[in-house]
Amino acid sequence: MTVPAFVKQRPGAPPGFFEVEAAGLRWLTVPGGVPVAEPLEVSADRLSTRRLEPVAPTRAAAEEFGRRLARTHEAGARWFGAPPDGWDSDGYIGTVSLPHAHAPTRSWGEVFADLRIRPFVRAAFDQGTLDHRETEVFERICRDLAAGRYDDPTERPCRIHGDLWSGNVVWAADGAHLIDPAAHGGHRETDLAMLALFGLPHLDRVLAAYDEVRPLTAGWESRIGLHQLHPLLVHVVLFGGGYVSQALATARAC
């Protein structure tokens, strides 16, 4: 019997564009974790996954998603910034290149500054979207990150989706599924902050259930904006416009 498939195609896709997505989906597939859109076939310009039929989300499904997401994160990663297992190059977030750390790193703050903020600030400056004065707002955050201001030695590298906005959560009859990852070793609060960035149905229930399985670190709410800087800067690079003021306001509040 033929498995119903969803096919994404991009003729002339950059090297590894679909291959790293498939590697991320396989890496995120862990016992008890959030189900993913199963990769069926991958090539340089095409990826097919098992088709998911969306349904309306429920509070019960949201709670199960929260519990399962905690287990996905608990599966861990080799180090902060590590690519998914089976992949040894950089990745993508949306259509933008996403740097990976290809050797053990000193701290999460260092990785977030050097691989998640600075490359996108530089890209936005090079395209004329940010000026020198605006780039310094983000550089201040990077200095604080590198100095360890936001590091918590109890937080180990987690197996994160990396682009977990609401559009990459598909609610199906058997619960939530993950699609379109930018998977890497990261901080679990990054996934949670991205769920909040553009709104997720029943997010309060997701977070409460997550906290039951893997309690959140005190003060995590105050760090939501910090973790949202990366996706906001990706949007600055891709779309400019109102995302510039939103990213700057978020950075100034950190």
Side-chain angles (χ1 to χ4, degrees), residues 167-223:
N168 285 340
V169 179
V170 177
W171 304 93
D174 60 346
H177 293 246
L178 303 179
I179 64 171
D180 297 348
H184 63 275
H187 197 302
R188 59 191 180 131
E189 290 176 6
T190 297
D191 270 353
L192 302 179
M194 197 175 292
L195 286 174
L197 183 57
F198 299 113
L200 181 83
H202 308 302
L203 180 58
D204 60 330
R205 302 314 309 152
V206 173
L207 295 174
Y210 184 105
D211 188 58
E212 290 172 4
V213 174
R214 189 173 183 187
L216 292 162
T217 305
W220 68 271
E221 297 99 329
S222 67
R223 295 183 293 271

Side-chain angles (χ1 to χ4, degrees), residues 22-60:
L25 288 168
R26 289 190 289 265
W27 187 57
L28 291 169
T29 304
V30 300
V34 185
V36 307
E38 178 189 355
L40 301 174
E41 180 185 0
V42 61
S43 66
D45 58 5
R46 186 174 187 268
L47 172 66
S48 66
T49 58
R50 185 181 295 272
R51 179 176 291 278
L52 300 170
E53 298 298 334
V55 302
T58 65
R59 289 172 63 86

Side-chain angles (χ1 to χ4, degrees), residues 139-154:
E139 184 56 33
R140 174 185 63 81
I141 299 294
C142 289
R143 290 193 293 268
D144 287 344
L145 283 161
R149 174 181 171 185
Y150 300 102
D151 282 314
D152 179 349
T154 68

Side-chain angles (χ1 to χ4, degrees), residues 105 158 251:
T105 49
C158 287

Side-chain angles (χ1 to χ4, degrees), residues 49-248:
T49 58
R50 185 181 295 272
R51 179 176 291 278
L52 300 170
E53 298 298 334
V55 302
T58 65
R59 289 172 63 86
E63 290 168 358
E64 182 65 9
F65 172 48
R67 288 188 286 268
R68 286 180 172 271
L69 183 60
R71 297 184 189 110
T72 297
H73 288 167
E74 284 179 340
R78 290 170 288 169
W79 52 76
F80 289 117
D85 291 352
W87 190 255
D88 59 5
S89 186
D90 290 338
Y92 298 89
I93 181 165
T95 58
V96 180
S97 179
L98 181 74
H100 287 145
H102 301 291
T105 49
R106 185 173 62 89
S107 67
W108 172 78
E110 181 180 57
V111 169
F112 201 66
D114 290 345
L115 301 184
R116 296 294 173 264
I117 295 183
R118 285 189 171 118
F120 298 90
V121 170
R122 188 180 309 118
F125 176 78
D126 289 346
Q127 68 187 23
T129 307
L130 294 176
D131 61 27
H132 279 290
R133 178 180 55 82
E134 290 166 334
T135 62
E136 179 56 29
V137 175
F138 299 102
E139 184 56 33
R140 174 185 63 81
I141 299 294
C142 289
R143 290 193 293 268
D144 287 344
L145 283 161
R149 174 181 171 185
Y150 300 102
D151 282 314
D152 179 349
T154 68
E155 287 287 343
R156 311 313 305 164
C158 287
R159 189 167 305 199
I160 71 169
H161 179 283
D163 192 13
L164 197 57
W165 71 289
S166 58
N168 285 340
V169 179
V170 177
W171 304 93
D174 60 346
H177 293 246
L178 303 179
I179 64 171
D180 297 348
H184 63 275
H187 197 302
R188 59 191 180 131
E189 290 176 6
T190 297
D191 270 353
L192 302 179
M194 197 175 292
L195 286 174
L197 183 57
F198 299 113
L200 181 83
H202 308 302
L203 180 58
D204 60 330
R205 302 314 309 152
V206 173
L207 295 174
Y210 184 105
D211 188 58
E212 290 172 4
V213 174
R214 189 173 183 187
L216 292 162
T217 305
W220 68 271
E221 297 99 329
S222 67
R223 295 183 293 271
I224 290 173
L226 174 72
H227 289 273
Q228 289 176 342
L229 285 178
H230 176 232
L232 285 172
L233 285 166
V234 172
H235 280 71
V236 167
V237 171
L238 288 173
F239 309 114
Y243 290 111
V244 174
S245 58
Q246 186 178 2
L248 286 165

